[in-house]
Each structure stands twice: as C-alpha cells, then as structure tokens.
Amino acid sequence: MESRVVHVGATALHVGVTGHGPDVVVLTGGPGCVQYLERDEIAPRDHRAWYPEPRGVGRSGGGPHTMEEAITDLECIRAAVGVTTWIVVGHSWGCDLAVRYAVEHPEAVAAVVGIAGRGPQRDRTWSEAYQAGKAAEPVVDIDWVPEVHAALSDSFTDWIHRPQLWSGLAACGVPMHLIAAGDDIRPSWPLAQIAALVPRGRFSTVPDVPHDFWFTHPEVWTRTITDACAAS
C-alpha cells in the first residue's frame, strides 16, 4: 500500500493506493471512523484501489465537516490523482455517501458498490431493530472522532429531508449494486428500496456474515467486492 497526501485547500488528506487496473475508491464507515479498509489483503483484485481517510480523522487534517465537503474532498482527490471515473465501494456509512456522490456527480462515478449501508432514512422500526441487536453484534475495535461523527450525522439528516431526494435517486443512471450482510443487525430493506428505485439498481445478500465481514470473513469480503467491481 502506497501512502499519498492530497491537499484540498490548506488541508492535507491521506490517501492510500494499491493494485493495478480499473480505478476504485473505497469509502470507510462511521461516519468519523479511520480508514479501516486500507489493507492490501482485502483490496479488490485486478483493480487500482484508492483509500481516502476522511478529513479530521486519523492521518488527515481538517476537522468536523458536512457530506457536501466530504464529496468535494473526493472530487479533489480524483482530480489530483488523475482519475477520470472510478467505481465507488462504500461500507456502512460509506455506502450512503457513495449513493449521494453518484447522484450529485454521475460523470465521475462509473458504478456504486454499496455494502451494509443504512440508506437515506431515520425509520423508527429500523432503529429499534438495530438497538435490539447491538449486544449480539461482533465487536470490532475501530478508532473514530466523535466531533466528525456528529457533524456528518447532522448533515446526513439534512440530506434525507431534502424534497428532491427521491426524485434525484430515481433519475440517477449510475449502476448501483447494493449488498446486504446476511447476519447484519441492521435491516436491509432500505438497500433493497434504493436498488428497486434507481434505473440500474441491483440488490443482493451475502449470507451468514455480520456487518463488519471485512474483519470477520476477509476472504468473503475480498471476493464480494472483487466480483461486484468486475461486474460493474
């Protein structure tokens, strides 16, 4: 894994890169988590994978920011490294960010592979199911920054309250493969809804794996994202 620094204005952002082939940018979860997916052994095979660390987190400068700023950072990174279009792989929160990125910058996104996202909703029954299952979820220790988490969570709420949210999704021609983890405590119906709404959507489930199967089942994770990227 090669480590690079991309400057967005006065802010230095860390970006890891590994492999060769079509370009893929991999978005981490949280929001506000470090780039926990930046590992050669779980990178998509036969692709060149980019791993930006969010601003204000880990090795990246800056601080609390909005989803709009997060997408601007991705666009600045893409331009700085000379990529025309890339597949966007997002896990958890990264899935939600990937979907918005595709809607707002379809010219830059070749396809979305979104895994175990929440979807653009604040549904009470979804939250109740999540809370009820938390005690049984495998524990994965990931560093995160509470202030960044709070700012991005507030921005997420603003986004899902936009009047044009669903019409924007319905008009987005970017291929989107939304993938659920079979043993995730997070209900998967929001991902299935997005896949049914976008013109080139697809929904599938990886059986018998939890939310963070990049950690618990790394070989399954690698095969899943490699196959999904290749199909895109």
Side-chain angles (χ1 to χ4, degrees), residues 132-210:
K134 283 186 72 174
E137 187 170 44
V139 176
V140 181
D141 188 21
I142 301 171
D143 289 336
W144 61 293
V145 178
E147 295 81 6
V148 175
H149 175 91
L152 286 170
S153 293
D154 289 344
S155 180
F156 173 84
T157 300
D158 291 340
W159 173 53
I160 65 174
H161 287 171
R162 289 184 174 185
Q164 69 275 27
L165 171 70
W166 299 106
S167 61
L169 283 166
C172 182
V174 175
M176 297 190 191
H177 185 178
L178 289 307
I179 302 172
D183 290 343
D184 200 340
I185 65 171
R186 297 153 186 80
S188 62
W189 57 261
L191 297 181
Q193 285 183 328
I194 297 172
L197 177 63
V198 298
R200 301 173 68 185
R202 177 188 173 197
F203 174 75
S204 66
T205 300
V206 181
D208 305 320
V209 295

Side-chain angles (χ1 to χ4, degrees), residues 65-149:
H65 57 285
T66 63
M67 290 184 80
E68 291 91 341
E69 290 173 300
I71 290 171
T72 297
D73 287 344
L74 292 173
E75 278 295 272
C76 289
I77 291 168
R78 183 181 63 82
V81 300
V83 171
T84 303
T85 61
W86 49 15
I87 299 168
V88 185
V89 173
H91 175 248
S92 195
W93 154 262
C95 171
D96 303 322
L97 184 62
V99 168
R100 179 170 176 177
Y101 183 21
V103 170
E104 297 183 3
H105 291 277
E107 74 288 347
V109 179
V112 167
V113 176
I115 303 173
R118 178 191 185 108
Q121 51 79 28
R122 293 284 192 192
D123 182 83
R124 180 177 297 175
T125 62
W126 189 99
S127 298
E128 288 172 350
Y130 170 72
Q131 292 297 330
K134 283 186 72 174
E137 187 170 44
V139 176
V140 181
D141 188 21
I142 301 171
D143 289 336
W144 61 293
V145 178
E147 295 81 6
V148 175
H149 175 91

